């Protein structure tokens, strides 16, 4: 099967990060492959190693995100496609979905896979939006993939238990990081990755294209500012005999939460 | 406020100067070290245990002998990349970095530089995959900083050499399949001696490698002795051309360069852990980090780490350009390990009582760095190497008094 895996470069969540003046500052400027996307790449590689096929990766992002494409190539993907944007500001899930859908709609593929969300925004929208724009069958939060004939068998984690869904190809699936333990690129893979082809497509050449729905790719959301989560208040310790503590708990529930009103 | 960034882990932004290849290798090494080595480090230190799977895992990733020609199993990585890998591995534990340094710089490097084509093909690919493990024998029980006085000797015989003597403080010796051993070689018992290199293989009659027990440092890696009692080493296991201390010193230069980088990783770990600890822990109603003394301690750490990063990074570039000098390496090894040891001790102190427990891992770096400060040329001996260059007067041998 032919896989297109859509990947994103995100700030390393393990590096120091601060919010100042309503903006996120990551002074280390350490950028990495989104961990959920790494799982999607890994699963595509495992399936094609077993059943044959090919894995290409697509990244929409600025020029410096090239290094993230190389990581996926170092893991084993065959070719990279870089939908190059001016920067990451002004983009949102919808504008990225438009870029990706516009690029892949003329391409041959069996599976278009994504990480289920990105570590920076945690939106989890792009995969579903692309499926909608292309009118393809899709499912989210996959924890296992298998191939049977021309179907992709997806085990997805639902709110209660797991579901197994057979998707006819071509299809879209978003992958959980619970699916696998992505391989670490070998040094040989890293050195070899620079000889693998990366097609660069200027995002401006795709922008404005009207898809079947009429959507032309403008961002639908506008970020005004970022704020830190308020710090948790210190807890209150209740002391005394069990009856007395129970009375105190009931009083708190009644007065502060209104659950008895 | 400045429009530019200030990175509290990389104050002078040296990582932004790295090539894409080098940065990707650094990221891969970091991912491996943090996900596969860090979970083993507590047990390794508490139980004096080296997991043999680490050798093949490092081999699979290409971390062993990364700079060696791909023809012999390496990947032809840059010297900077080799250093960055050492930094990531030593961020977890100096013992794991010691294992890797010995395999790469003290075993694979001399075989690749001094070995015959047959020796290269016979040993290097298997050393690169971790299928076989190597060690390096120079230091002796009575000859540490003064290896030229070694007593281990090899006397020529039909088809080879007969080796006698003992080596001590040998990283990897108990788990090694091959040992690169330096000995005073003589064509006959009374002929003049010259130092030559021998590849001694496990199982050769008269060769043993007993473990050094009860170490309180580098407990996650294996250390032992090498004992030679009339060991016959065939001619095909002898480096053909290299003579004198130049051979082992070239190997040590390569390893010391890796140590200069490794110390950066250990120091960064201790600084970051201290920063987190004093930020999280409150005393007298405020985070410890709100006080002047902890802040200036952190400032001193970051200043020292920045100087260490600059030295290591610049030295890597000089090595990649072929412009390095052994004294540059002495300077960086001495400075970086000395400062890393200071930082580890201060970090231990800033962790209070928790600093002595293995769970916080800082104490492991403190005790490890005591070894790293001593091995591969002590702090003071590197001072004398630099002193000789600065003054033109060697001071290894005491002068002015009869002793």
């Amino acid at each position: 099967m032919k896989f297109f895996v859509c990947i994103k470069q995100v700030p390393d969540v393990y590096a120091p990060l601060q919010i100042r003046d309503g903006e996120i500052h990551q002074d280390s400027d350490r950028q990495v492959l989104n961990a959920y996307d790494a799982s999607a790449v890994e699963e595509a590689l495992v399936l094609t190693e077993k059943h044959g096929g090919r894995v290409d990766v697509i990244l929409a992002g600025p020029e410096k995100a090239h290094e993230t494409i190389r990581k996926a190539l170092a893991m084993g993907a065959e070719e990279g496609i870089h939908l190059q944007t001016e920067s990451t500001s002004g983009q949102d899930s919808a504008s990225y979905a438009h870029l990706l859908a516009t690029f892949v709609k003329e391409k041959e593929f069996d599976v278009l896979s994504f990480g289920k969300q990105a570590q920076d925004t945690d939106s989890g929208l792009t995969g579903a939006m692309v499926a909608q724009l292309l009118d393809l069958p899709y499912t989210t939060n996959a924890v296992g993939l298998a191939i049977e004939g021309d179907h992709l068998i997806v085990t997805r984690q639902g709110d209660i238990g797991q579901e197994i869904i057979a998707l006819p190809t071509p299809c879209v699936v978003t992958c959980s990081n619970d699916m696998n333990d992505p391989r670490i690129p070998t040094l040989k893979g890293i050195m070899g990755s620079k000889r693998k082809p990366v097609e660069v497509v200027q995002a401006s050449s795709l922008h404005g294209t009207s898809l079947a729905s009429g959507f032309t790719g403008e961002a639908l959301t506008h970020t005004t500012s970022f704020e830190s989560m308020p710090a948790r208040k210190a807890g209150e310790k209740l002391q005394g005999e069990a009856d007395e503590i129970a009375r105190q708990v009931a009083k708190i529930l009644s007065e502060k939460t209104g659950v008895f009103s | 406020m400045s429009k530019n960034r200030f990175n509290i882990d990389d104050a002078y932004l040296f990582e932004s100067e790295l090539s894409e290849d080098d940065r990707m290798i650094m990221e891969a090494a970091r991912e491996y070290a943090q996900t596969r080595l860090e979970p083993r480090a507590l047990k390794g230190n508490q139980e004096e245990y080296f997991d043999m799977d680490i050798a093949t895992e490092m081999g699979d990733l290409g971390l062993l002998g990364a700079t060696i020609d791909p023809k012999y199993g390496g990947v032809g990585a840059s010297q900077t990349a080799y250093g960055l890998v050492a930094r990531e591995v030593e961020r977890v534990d100096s013992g794991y970095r010691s294992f890797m340094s010995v395999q790469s710089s003290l075993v694979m490097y001399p075989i690749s530089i001094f070995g015959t084509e047959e020796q290269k093909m016979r040993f290097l690919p298997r050393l690169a995959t971790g299928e076989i493990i190597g060690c390096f024998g120079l230091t002796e029980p009575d000859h540490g900083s003064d290896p030229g006085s070694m007593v281990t000797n090899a006397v020529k015989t039909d088809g080879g050499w007969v080796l006698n003597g003992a080596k001590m403080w040998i990283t990897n010796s108990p788990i090694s399949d091959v040992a690169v051993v330096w000995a005073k070689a003589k064509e006959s018992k009374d002929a003049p001696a010259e130092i030559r290199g021998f590849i001694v293989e496990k199982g050769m009659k008269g060769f043993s490698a007993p473990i050094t027990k009860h170490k309180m440092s580098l407990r996650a890696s294996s250390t032992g002795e090498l004992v030679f009692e009339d060991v016959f080493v065939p001619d095909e296991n002898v480096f053909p051309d290299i003579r004198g201390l130049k051979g082992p010193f070239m190997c040590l230069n390569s390893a010391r360069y890796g140590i200069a980088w490794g110390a950066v990783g250990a120091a960064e770990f201790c600084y970051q852990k201290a920063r987190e600890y004093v930020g999280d822990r409150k005393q007298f109603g405020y985070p410890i980090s709100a006080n002047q003394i902890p802040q200036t301690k952190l400032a001193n750490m970051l200043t020292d780490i920045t100087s260490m990063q600059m030295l290591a990074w610049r030295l890597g570039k000089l090595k990649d350009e072929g412009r390095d000098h052994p004294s540059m390496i002495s300077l960086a090894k001495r400075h970086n390990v000395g400062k890393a040891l200071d930082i580890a001790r201060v970090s231990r102190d800033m962790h209070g009582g928790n600093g002595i427990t293995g769970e916080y891992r800082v104490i492991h770096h403190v005790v490890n760095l005591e070894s790293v400060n001593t091995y591969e040329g002590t702090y003071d001996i590197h001072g004398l190497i630099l002193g000789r260059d600065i003054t033109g007067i060697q001071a290894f041998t005491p002068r002015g008094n009869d002793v």
Side-chain angles (χ1 to χ4, degrees):
Chain A
M1 280 191 173
K2 165 75 185 283
F3 282 77
F4 271 137
V5 185
C6 298
I7 60 175
K8 185 179 181 186
Q9 185 180 59
V10 295
D12 184 351
V13 293
Y14 296 106
L17 192 143
Q18 294 172 322
I19 293 175
R20 293 194 298 263
D21 306 327
E23 290 183 23
I24 293 178
H25 294 267
Q26 195 197 33
D27 290 335
S28 74
D29 198 27
R30 198 183 273 281
Q31 304 284 325
V32 297
L33 171 62
N34 177 34
Y36 302 101
D37 299 346
S39 284
V41 172
E42 174 67 27
E43 201 65 12
L45 290 171
V46 168
L47 286 172
T48 52
E49 280 159 7
K50 190 173 170 189
H51 299 282
R54 172 187 173 102
V55 180
D56 291 347
V57 295
I58 310 177
L59 179 144
E63 188 177 357
K64 69 176 291 189
H66 175 257
E67 199 166 303
T68 295
I69 296 177
R70 265 194 72 188
K71 178 168 181 186
L73 298 176
M75 287 173 74
E78 290 192 32
E79 185 176 345
I81 295 129
H82 190 168
L83 309 182
Q84 215 170 84
T85 59
E86 291 286 318
S87 72
T88 51
S89 63
Q91 303 280 357
D92 70 355
S93 302
S95 62
Y96 281 126
H98 176 271
L99 280 181
L100 294 164
T102 306
F103 178 79
V104 300
K105 71 184 168 61
E106 306 295 340
K107 307 286 179 190
E108 293 276 323
F109 64 90
D110 298 296
V111 180
L112 185 62
S113 63
F114 294 75
K116 67 169 182 162
Q117 64 203 69
Q119 284 171 292
D120 52 354
T121 60
D122 277 336
S123 301
L125 296 170
T126 307
M129 286 176 164
V130 170
Q132 178 69 27
L133 289 169
L134 297 175
D135 197 22
L136 289 174
Y138 82 102
T139 189
T140 56
N141 204 18
V143 292
L145 297 180
I147 293 170
E148 277 183 23
D150 57 359
H151 279 65
L152 184 73
I153 310 300
V154 182
T155 304
R156 80 174 293 277
Q157 185 65 45
D159 292 335
I160 40 168
Q162 294 187 338
E163 302 164 73
I164 297 174
I165 298 165
L167 286 180
T169 55
C171 64
V172 175
V173 63
T174 72
C175 301
S176 165
N177 58 331
D178 292 333
M179 182 181 259
N180 52 41
D181 191 9
R183 68 195 68 187
I184 300 169
T186 65
L187 269 58
K188 193 175 169 189
I190 290 168
M191 301 301 272
S193 67
K194 62 186 164 196
R195 291 188 290 276
K196 291 186 173 179
V198 178
E199 180 189 354
V200 178
V201 178
Q202 294 304 323
S204 53
S205 70
L206 303 171
H207 193 71
T209 305
S210 181
L211 292 169
S213 59
F215 180 50
T216 53
E218 61 279 11
L220 301 179
T221 58
H222 173 62
T223 303
T224 50
S225 74
F226 291 90
E227 283 180 37
S228 297
M229 294 271 285
R232 276 179 61 184
K233 288 180 183 160
E236 191 177 342
K237 193 172 182 181
L238 305 178
Q239 289 179 319
E241 295 297 318
D243 288 356
E244 173 57 22
I245 291 174
R247 267 190 292 277
Q248 289 182 54
V249 171
K251 191 175 171 206
I252 290 167
L253 289 173
S254 172
E255 290 175 0
K256 293 193 178 175
T257 69
V259 292
F260 297 141
S261 60
Chain B
M1 185 171 284
S2 167
K3 65 183 172 55
N4 292 329
R5 304 176 281 131
F6 184 66
N7 181 346
I8 56 171
D9 288 324
D10 176 12
Y12 280 26
L13 308 175
F14 92 89
E15 286 189 6
S16 68
E17 294 296 310
L18 300 174
S19 72
E20 196 170 88
D21 283 352
D22 291 346
R23 198 162 44 241
M24 287 181 74
I25 290 173
M26 173 184 81
E27 299 286 358
R30 180 171 299 180
E31 201 174 335
Y32 170 70
Q34 292 301 313
T35 60
R36 310 285 161 82
L37 293 180
E38 183 58 41
R40 289 154 152 155
L42 179 60
K43 177 182 162 119
N45 279 279
Q46 302 298 118
E47 300 177 19
E48 217 172 338
Y49 171 69
F50 178 78
D51 186 340
M52 293 294 285
D53 289 345
I54 290 171
T56 45
E57 287 172 10
M58 286 187 171
D60 288 346
L61 274 182
L63 301 180
L64 302 176
T67 57
I68 303 278
D69 189 329
K71 181 177 161 192
Y72 304 116
V75 295
S78 69
Q79 291 291 335
T80 301
Y82 170 70
L84 290 164
V85 171
R87 171 177 173 235
E88 294 309 326
V89 175
E90 191 147 358
R91 192 186 302 283
V92 175
D93 201 281
S94 305
Y96 296 141
R97 201 269 308 136
S98 297
F99 163 79
M100 190 195 76
S101 289
V102 168
Q103 184 92 344
S104 300
S105 285
L106 298 182
V107 181
M108 296 179 71
Y109 171 78
I111 294 174
S112 74
I113 297 288
F114 308 131
T116 63
E117 187 61 23
E118 187 275 332
Q119 287 167 350
K120 291 179 196 179
M121 293 309 291
R122 184 149 56 106
F123 295 109
L124 290 178
R126 288 184 297 150
L127 286 162
T129 58
E131 180 190 339
I132 59 172
I133 294 171
C135 66
F136 175 90
L138 177 67
T139 297
E140 298 186 352
D142 294 325
H143 305 281
S145 297
D146 176 22
S149 300
M150 68 171 69
V151 295
T152 298
N153 61 85
V155 179
K156 189 77 183 86
T157 187
D158 275 353
W161 300 75
V162 176
L163 204 57
N164 277 288
K167 302 288 183 181
M168 199 173 185
W169 305 123
I170 310 300
T171 297
N172 296 353
S173 96
I175 57 172
S176 280
D177 302 284
V178 291
V180 170
V181 176
W182 301 92
K184 284 192 171 160
K186 301 177 192 176
E187 288 294 330
S188 66
K189 207 170 176 188
D190 300 320
E194 54 184 355
I195 292 172
R196 294 191 65 175
F198 300 81
I199 305 171
V200 182
E201 295 181 70
K202 189 175 172 177
M204 285 181 169
K205 196 173 171 215
F207 172 44
S208 59
I211 193 166
T212 300
K213 290 183 180 165
H214 310 307
K215 280 184 302 175
M216 298 307 291
S217 175
L218 298 179
R219 287 167 61 88
S221 70
S222 187
T223 309
E225 299 169 43
L226 299 172
V227 181
F228 313 101
E229 293 172 312
D230 289 330
V231 179
F232 174 75
V233 181
D235 283 330
E236 61 261 30
N237 277 33
V238 183
F239 293 145
D241 300 320
I242 188 74
R243 301 283 190 279
L245 278 174
K246 185 184 171 198
F249 280 177
M250 281 173 70
C251 305
L252 291 173
N253 269 327
S254 175
R256 288 165 180 168
Y257 161 69
I259 292 169
W261 270 109
V264 177
E268 287 170 334
F269 175 88
C270 292
Y271 154 68
Q272 287 162 2
K273 286 291 166 187
R275 189 176 76 202
E276 271 173 39
Y277 189 82
V278 297
D280 291 344
R281 185 172 167 88
K282 286 184 181 171
Q283 293 290 284
F284 305 105
Y286 294 95
I288 294 173
S289 61
N291 295 293
Q292 293 183 351
I293 290 174
Q295 285 202 7
T296 52
K297 283 179 176 171
L298 291 171
N300 292 342
M301 287 179 174
L302 179 58
T303 306
D304 286 340
I305 285 169
T306 305
S307 72
M308 294 161 68
Q309 290 168 337
M310 291 297 105
L311 283 184
W313 166 68
R314 178 67 189 147
L315 183 56
K317 279 186 83 77
L318 288 166
K319 273 184 81 73
D320 281 325
E321 293 166 7
R323 295 167 63 201
D324 57 307
H325 183 280
S327 292
M328 293 176 184
I329 296 168
S330 285
L331 189 155
K333 192 273 183 185
R334 177 175 189 264
H335 176 268
N336 283 13
V337 180
K339 290 296 183 191
L341 182 54
D342 291 345
I343 288 167
R345 287 171 177 161
V346 173
S347 176
R348 208 295 309 151
D349 180 60
M350 291 171 79
H351 278 77
N354 285 318
I356 66 161
T357 67
E359 280 79 4
Y360 283 82
R361 302 270 297 110
V362 171
I363 191 70
H364 297 151
H365 283 288
V366 177
V367 292
N368 282 341
L369 288 164
E370 293 286 353
S371 290
V372 181
N373 200 41
T374 294
Y375 74 20
E376 306 242 10
T378 68
Y379 185 87
D380 290 335
I381 283 288
H382 284 298
L384 297 186
I385 291 170
L386 292 169
R388 180 182 56 188
D389 280 337
I390 295 164
T391 64
I393 305 167
Q394 74 83 16
F396 299 103
T397 312
R399 289 200 244 188
N401 293 296
D402 291 332
V403 287

